[in-house]
Amino acid sequence: MITESSMKSFRASLGGQSFCPVDAGYDQARKIPNAMIDRHPAIIARCTGPADVIACVRFAREHDLVLAVRGGGHSVAGKSVCEGGLVIDLSAMKGIRVDPGRRTVRAQTGLTLGEFDRETQAFGLATTQGVVSTVGIAGLTLGGGWGHLHAKYGLAIDNLISADIVTAEGNLLTASAAENEDLFWGIRGGSGNFGVVTSLEYRLHPVGSVLAGGLFWPTAKAKEVLHFWREFAESSPDELVTQGTALTLPGVGPVFGIVACYAGSISSGEEVLKPLRSFGAPIADSIAEMSYAQLQTMLNPFFPPGRHTYVKSNFVRDFSDAAIDAAVEYVGRSPSPYTFAPFFEHWHGAATRIGSADTAFPHRQHSWNFFAWSTWEEASESERNIRWTRECWQAMRPFLVAGSYSNYVSDEGEAVAREAYGPNYDHLSALKAKYDPTNFFHMNHNVQPRATSARISA
Ligand SMILES: Cc1cc2nc3c(=O)[nH]c(=O)nc-3n(C[C@H](O)[C@H](O)[C@H](O)COP(=O)(O)OP(=O)(O)OC[C@H]3O[C@@H](n4cnc5c(N)ncnc54)[C@H](O)[C@@H]3O)c2cc1C
C-alpha cells in the first residue's frame, strides 16, 4: 500500500517528470509501439539520470512494486511496461559523448539508434546497432544487438567496453572487463535481468558511406531466389550483411525482398553484389551508395508505431532444400500486408567467431535466424494473424533449433527464456542469485535466481 504522502514525496524527490493515471500525459507515457500491449502502471518515472533511477529502485522495493524498465520501448513482448507498479522510463536520458581520438562513445540508455548514430557519424564513426533507428540502444544491446555491421565488427555487445548499472540493492556499479567482470559477462546477452543500465560505453569504428538497399522479386521466384541467396551468402565477406523476407511492397503487392549492406569500398561492394543483383531479373533494385545514417533509417517506414506485433523466431539448424520448400509455402500468404514472413537473417563473420560462452548471448554458431514477424492494424485481426504466425513457424520448426534470440521473442515464460539463453542459462541463473536473489528485475525474458555453488565468475 502506498500512502498519498509517500507517493507525493517520492515524486517530489525525482529530477524528472512522473505520471500517475490522473495526470495529463499519462496515456501517452504508458504507450509503447506494439499496440498489443495496453498496460496501466501505477506510476511512470521519466528519469533524468542515475539518481532518479536509484530512487525508483529503492521506492519500488520498499513498496513491493512490480518494476518495468523502458529504454526505447520496442520489446515485442511488451516487457517495458507493467500492469500496476512502477515504470522506469529512460527516454529522457540522452547524454552521449564521443571520444574520436580513442574511438569510443559513452551513451545514456534513453537514446534511440538514430540519435546514437547521428552523434557517432558526426565523427565518421559507428558501431553495430540494429536496422531500425527508432529502436532503443539499451534493450537492443543488452539482448545482443544484430545489425548491418555485425559481420565486420561483431554484435553490439561485442563492442561494449563498460556499463553503469543500478542493482537491485539500489547501488550503482560499473561492469567491464576489469570491474565486476561476472556482471559484465551477464549483461552482454542477459537483457535487463541484473539491473537498470544507465549508460553504455562502446568501441567505435570508421564507417563512411555504404553500398546498400533492397532487391525485390515476384513471389513466384521466391524459391529460386532463396536457393541462390543461400549459396551466395555462404561466401559473403565480413563487409556484407544480407537479410531476406516475404513482404508486401506498397503500390506493388507481395514480393520477396533482400536487403543488403556492404560496409567497405564501394567499388568492391559493386563487384561482390553483382551476382545477387543480376540474379533472376529483380523487379526493383534500390541498392546505391548512401551514408550509414541514411541506411539506418531506410527501413523505418515499414515499422510505424501503433500496429499490433507478434513474432516467432528461432535459429535455423538445417537450411536445406526441404526448409526452403516449407518456407516458400508461406510466401505471399500472410493475412496482413504489413507482415514480414518468412524472414531470414544471415549471421556470419565477426559475431560468429566469438565463443558461445564468452558472453551471455550464446547463439554464435548458426548462420541463419528465422522469424515470422507479423504486424497488423486492428485488434479484431489479432487472432487470425497470431494463428497464421504460429502456423508458419510450426511449418519451419523441423528445420529450427530450440534456441532463439531473446530480442525477437513475443512469447513468455521459463521455457522460452531457457531456449533464449540456451547453454548459458545455468551460469546466468547463478549470477542472478548473486546480483538479484529476489528476482526483483523480472519484467524481461526472465532468468530465475538459483542458489548454487556453480562458479559464477566469467
Ligand atoms: C521495429 C523493430 C526492429 C528491430 N530491429 C532489430 C535489429 O535490427 N537488430 C536487433 O538485434 N534487434 C532488433 N529488434 C529487437 C530489439 O532489439 C528489441 O525489441 C529490444 O528489446 C528493443 O530495445 P528497446 O530499448 O527499444 O526496448 P524496451 O522495450 O525499452 O526494452 C526491452 C527490454 O530490455 C529491458 N531494458 C531496456 N532498457 C534497459 C536498461 N537500460 N537497463 C536494463 N534493462 C533494460 C526492458 O526492461 C525490456 O525487458 C527490433 C525490434 C523492433 C520492434
Side-chain angles (χ1 to χ4, degrees):
M1 229 352 232
I2 316 172
T3 62
E4 215 179 306
S5 71
S6 65
M7 183 65 106
K8 207 170 158 192
S9 61
F10 166 62
R11 293 182 72 177
S13 76
L14 295 173
Q17 254 185 311
S18 58
F19 303 89
C20 285
V22 294
D23 297 327
Y26 170 82
D27 270 328
Q28 198 50 38
R30 74 182 180 83
K31 253 192 210 148
I32 60 169
N34 185 356
M36 295 264 281
I37 312 298
D38 180 25
R39 301 196 183 120
H40 297 78
I43 178 164
I44 301 163
R46 192 161 287 160
C47 298
T48 52
D52 276 358
V53 173
I54 290 168
C56 287
V57 166
R58 292 187 175 157
F59 185 77
R61 282 200 75 133
E62 266 166 39
H63 295 88
D64 206 15
L65 295 176
V66 173
L67 184 85
V69 181
R70 176 184 177 139
H74 277 78
S75 152
V76 288
K79 296 294 187 183
S80 46
V81 61
C82 44
E83 190 60 46
L86 168 61
V87 172
I88 291 183
D89 175 355
L90 300 166
S91 64
M93 287 173 49
K94 295 200 187 285
I96 178 163
R97 183 174 189 278
V98 177
D99 182 337
R102 287 176 59 233
R103 288 187 182 161
T104 62
V105 60
R106 179 163 285 284
Q108 283 191 315
T109 42
L111 287 158
T112 63
L113 310 194
E115 292 159 345
F116 178 91
D117 289 335
R118 181 166 188 270
E119 295 298 326
T120 61
Q121 278 285 280
F123 302 93
L125 299 169
T127 200
T128 309
Q129 296 285 355
V131 304
V132 174
S133 78
T134 51
V135 172
I137 63 165
L140 178 128
T141 299
L142 297 174
W146 181 95
H148 297 297
L149 301 178
H150 85 277
K152 195 168 179 185
Y153 298 123
L155 301 175
I157 47 170
D158 302 331
N159 290 286
L160 259 194
I161 300 170
S162 71
D164 285 344
I165 176 164
V166 176
T167 63
E169 288 177 353
N171 298 323
L172 184 80
L173 298 182
T174 296
S176 70
E179 226 176 321
N180 299 304
E181 310 93 277
D182 55 355
L183 187 57
F184 188 52
W185 179 88
I187 60 164
R188 285 177 294 160
S191 195
N193 269 288
F194 301 103
V196 188
V197 175
T198 55
S199 74
L200 293 159
E201 185 189 11
Y202 302 86
R203 255 183 301 283
L204 296 171
H205 312 275
V207 178
S209 57
V210 293
L211 185 66
L215 293 163
F216 303 94
W217 294 265
T219 52
K221 287 200 174 160
K223 183 171 175 172
E224 48 183 305
V225 170
L226 276 162
H227 276 267
F228 180 82
W229 177 36
R230 182 182 57 183
E231 307 308 321
F232 172 83
E234 253 169 36
S235 58
S236 288
D238 290 359
E239 285 78 9
L240 179 64
V241 168
T242 50
Q243 49 185 318
T245 182
L247 75 157
T248 305
L249 266 191
V252 177
V255 293
F256 190 85
I258 292 180
V259 167
C261 167
Y262 187 89
S265 93
I266 301 300
S267 56
S268 311
E270 299 275 9
E271 276 309 301
V272 168
L273 280 166
K274 208 183 268 174
L276 187 62
R277 297 177 77 179
S278 49
F279 180 78
I283 51 172
D285 175 349
S286 69
I287 292 178
E289 181 174 352
M290 63 180 76
S291 72
Y292 177 72
Q294 224 180 324
L295 163 70
Q296 288 292 86
T297 56
M298 184 177 77
L299 302 177
N300 288 13
F302 292 99
F303 297 94
R307 287 186 182 152
H308 297 69
T309 303
Y310 179 73
V311 184
K312 292 286 292 180
S313 174
N314 290 93
F315 287 92
V316 179
R317 176 176 51 77
D318 176 22
F319 202 19
S320 56
D321 292 356
I324 290 178
D325 286 347
V328 166
E329 285 297 307
Y330 285 83
V331 169
R333 298 275 164 80
S334 155
S336 164
Y338 307 119
T339 284
F340 303 91
F343 196 136
F344 297 93
E345 277 174 352
H346 184 227
W347 290 51
H348 73 116
T352 56
R353 288 193 286 265
I354 290 171
S356 291
D358 291 350
T359 62
F361 176 80
H363 306 294
R364 305 282 192 165
Q365 71 277 40
H366 306 294
S367 303
W368 298 94
N369 193 16
F370 162 81
F371 44 94
W373 189 291
S374 286
T375 64
W376 60 96
E377 280 187 328
E378 300 299 329
S380 59
E381 299 165 359
S382 294
E383 198 205 320
R384 194 156 71 107
N385 280 279
I386 291 171
R387 191 173 355 104
W388 185 87
T389 314
R390 289 184 175 147
E391 279 169 17
C392 174
W393 171 79
Q394 198 67 43
M396 291 302 296
R397 214 170 169 193
F399 313 102
L400 306 177
V401 297
S404 59
Y405 173 28
S406 66
N407 277 0
Y408 293 168
V409 175
S410 283
D411 292 341
E412 313 187 34
E414 194 180 345
V416 171
R418 278 186 178 273
E419 287 170 358
Y421 303 119
N424 288 337
Y425 185 91
D426 287 346
H427 187 163
L428 282 165
S429 170
L431 204 56
K432 182 86 170 166
K434 176 176 173 185
Y435 286 101
D436 184 18
T438 64
N439 204 6
F440 175 63
F441 297 111
H442 60 268
M443 285 294 294
N444 40 52
H445 290 295
N446 191 232
V447 174
Q448 300 285 325
R450 192 187 50 154
T452 178
S453 58
R455 199 171 68 85
I456 58 170
S457 60

